[in-house]
Amino acid sequence: MNNNTQLAHRNDGAVAQRSEEKGAPQVTLIPAVDIIEDANGVTLWADLPGVSRENLQLSFNDGALHIEGQAVVPTPSGLRVQHAEIRQPHFARSFSLSPDLDAGQIGAQLQDGVLKLTIPRRDEARPRRIAINLA
């Protein structure tokens, strides 16, 4: 990390990180996420208000799922911004995935600022019933 970059340390209550890049402050928001796990896999919902599909990047690398998005808040014509604390918020969040999950089959849907990811469990990792034969 160079001397021009300052990142807030992540803590359990953190909602944002602030860094200085090229003289302009950038705020990276940590989106709220709900995760539900069942026998079939994991479903993850992430709140990404103002992020369009074109400004959303999902990637999986070295066992980690990365979510990044840029919200665009348009200024109506004829109006001038007097004060803006966050003009174009950047969202970012990463998750380590269990080897029991099939990263090659991740499904993603974005609707009304909510990203829904479905990550199925690998077939060999799914719970199964074992038949008992009479001897």
Side-chain angles (χ1 to χ4, degrees), residues 15-39:
V15 293
Q17 298 179 39
R18 186 176 295 275
S19 66
E20 300 285 334
E21 290 184 11
K22 299 180 183 174
Q26 179 184 359
V27 175
T28 298
L29 299 174
I30 301 167
V33 172
D34 292 329
I35 300 172
I36 305 296
E37 183 175 8
D38 61 19

Side-chain angles (χ1 to χ4, degrees), residues 38-51:
D38 61 19
N40 295 319
V42 172
T43 303
L44 180 146
W45 285 273
D47 293 335
L48 302 167
V51 176

Side-chain angles (χ1 to χ4, degrees), residues 65-89:
L65 173 66
H66 303 281
I67 301 170
E68 286 196 61
Q70 185 80 31
V72 177
V73 182
T75 302
S77 62
L79 295 180
R80 183 172 55 112
V81 176
Q82 288 296 103
H83 174 78
E85 293 183 10
I86 302 173
R87 282 295 300 143
Q88 293 187 333

Side-chain angles (χ1 to χ4, degrees), residues 3-25:
N3 292 337
N4 295 332
T5 304
Q6 297 175 338
L7 293 176
H9 293 288
R10 167 84 192 223
N11 64 36
D12 292 335
V15 293
Q17 298 179 39
R18 186 176 295 275
S19 66
E20 300 285 334
E21 290 184 11
K22 299 180 183 174

